Amino acid sequence: MIILGIESTAHTFGVGIVDSQWKVLANVYDRYTSADKGMIPDEIADHHKQVAEEVLEKALKEAQVMLDSVDQVAYSAGPGLDPALWSGYHFAKDLAARIKKPLVGVNHCCAHLSIGKVWNKLEDPCYLYVSGVNTQIIVSEGGKYHVMGETLDIGLGNMLDKFGRIIGLGFPAGPEIEKLAKNGKYVELPYTVKGMDASFSGLLTKAQQLFAKGVSKEDLCFSLQETAFAMLAEVVERAMAHTGKQELLLVGGVGANKRFCEMLDIMCKERGAVFYKVPVDLAGDQGAMIAWEGFLRKDSYGDVEVKPHWRADEV
Ligand code: AMP
Ligand code: MG
């Protein structure tokens, strides 16, 4: 069985093609970037419409697959930016109609979890899902995902991107912040953990204030990373202690950060657990994870239009 997956929830328009044995035949994407601003939903939707056909053609060519040998079209139904979701949905719906194959709408967050799990061949890990909008500690219980802890305000990636915009790094800022952090030293920032949840907006405000007072970009990038990553390491360690899980799986775009991975790896080793991540090209948003999730959910979901606020624990 060949499944084609379409991703369009935020900055990325992607087409991935996988088979039912979990072989990635193609994973092509085009990411919206900006030198001076963040994501403007209508601009993102326009971006997706402009690149869609070309990304599809490249993916088919890379996979060496003819469109009519695709057995199912999966798309990211949510959560995400409303206009971006609609652009992906219409493209997927037209495509499925053109080739007369089933259309399956899937949850984007679950797709991140599933691809990390299949890539690492894991049974039942504790998930730390950290992307632009989402920051959640998730476990699977009784056939459903359970969110044990999450951000109380903005996602960690959004916090980094917002700070990046303030200091002139453009979008996405995470990778640039990681580079600047290498030459920084620690300045104190608010560390906000409440039970199993974390909050990032105070951290952002304080960093912005210190930047206005002349503290260097490098020091602030370093301290933002150390503080935010330590907050999540604390909460995820508590989740592992409560559930007795011995495997931690980091997924989502912020999972590309080497320092974050290093901190989580140390935490896991200290408690005799094992830390897993996914390669950079599968960590962020892309279509292969949507195709794989579409295969897993082929009997439970169909055309669900778009669901901008669809949580993993509602699946
Ligand atoms: P996603 O929505 O899962 O594609 O993740 C996108 C988010 O990951 C954006 O907020 C990026 O700034 C962030 N990101 C990407 N690479 C890195 C990195 N190396 N360090 C920190 N954040 C990153
Ligand atoms: Mg994502």
Side-chain angles (χ1 to χ4, degrees), residues 11 112 131-132 157-158 160-161 172-175 178 252-254 256-257 283-285:
H11 42 69
H112 273 293
S131 67
N158 276 177
L160 295 172
D161 292 333
E178 182 172 15
V254 186
N257 190 291
D285 295 350

Side-chain angles (χ1 to χ4, degrees), residues 19-272:
D19 69 14
S20 46
Q21 305 303 309
W22 170 237
K23 186 163 182 225
V24 179
L25 305 173
N27 199 13
V28 179
Y29 49 79
D30 192 299
R31 284 203 176 125
Y32 171 89
T33 57
S34 167
D36 55 359
K37 55 189 185 214
M39 284 192 281
I40 298 173
D42 288 336
E43 280 186 21
I44 299 278
D46 286 343
H47 163 265
H48 293 353
K49 283 176 205 154
Q50 275 162 26
V51 304
E53 278 298 339
E54 195 186 323
V55 172
L56 172 67
E57 267 168 44
K58 276 191 195 159
L60 290 167
K61 201 168 162 196
E62 193 177 305
Q64 297 184 311
V65 159
M66 302 292 287
L67 198 48
D68 53 15
S69 45
V70 169
D71 298 296
Q72 176 191 301
V73 177
Y75 70 97
S76 226
L81 298 168
D82 199 69
L85 289 173
W86 282 110
S87 66
Y89 170 66
H90 287 306
F91 188 76
K93 195 174 162 80
D94 287 351
L95 190 63
R98 219 194 305 168
I99 58 176
K100 299 190 181 64
K101 293 292 162 59
L103 180 67
V104 180
V106 301
N107 180 287
H108 173 95
C109 309
C110 294
H112 273 293
L113 307 185
S114 297
I115 205 167
K117 190 173 149 183
V118 70
W119 172 266
N120 288 294
K121 300 190 179 73
L122 299 177
E123 283 293 316
D124 188 23
C126 176
Y127 300 92
L128 176 56
Y129 169 35
V130 190
S131 67
V133 186
N134 299 285
T135 300
Q136 294 178 324
I137 296 102
I138 299 175
V139 293
S140 171
E141 264 177 12
K144 281 198 77 170
Y145 288 120
H146 171 60
V147 177
M148 291 195 73
E150 61 191 310
T151 175
L152 294 170
D153 41 47
I154 50 176
L156 175 52
N158 276 177
M159 188 273 280
L160 295 172
D161 292 333
K162 280 181 194 203
F163 183 67
R165 196 157 76 225
I166 291 163
I167 66 171
L169 297 181
F171 176 86
E176 295 306 313
I177 289 178
E178 182 172 15
K179 280 184 210 151
L180 288 171
K182 292 204 173 96
N183 299 312
K185 55 186 187 315
Y186 183 71
V187 290
E188 196 170 334
L189 293 174
Y191 180 101
T192 319
V193 167
K194 298 184 179 180
M196 292 299 290
D197 300 318
S199 159
F200 298 104
S201 59
L203 197 57
L204 175 65
T205 306
K206 185 69 185 180
Q208 182 172 10
Q209 287 167 349
L210 291 177
F211 181 63
K213 284 186 183 156
V215 177
S216 79
K217 291 179 185 180
E218 288 80 1
D219 288 356
L220 289 169
C221 289
F222 175 76
S223 308
L224 265 189
Q225 285 200 169
E226 294 300 302
T227 311
F229 297 167
M231 281 160 49
L232 288 177
E234 178 192 328
V235 187
V236 86
E237 177 167 28
R238 197 148 47 238
M240 293 174 79
H242 278 310
T243 57
K245 302 239 187 249
Q246 293 296 326
E247 293 167 333
L248 171 64
L249 172 59
L250 175 65
V251 295
V254 186
N257 190 291
K258 292 203 173 64
R259 175 62 181 146
F260 194 20
C261 292
E262 182 188 33
M263 285 170 79
L264 294 170
D265 191 43
I266 293 169
M267 181 275 283
C268 283
K269 284 199 174 109
E270 283 181 356
R271 51 179 299 106

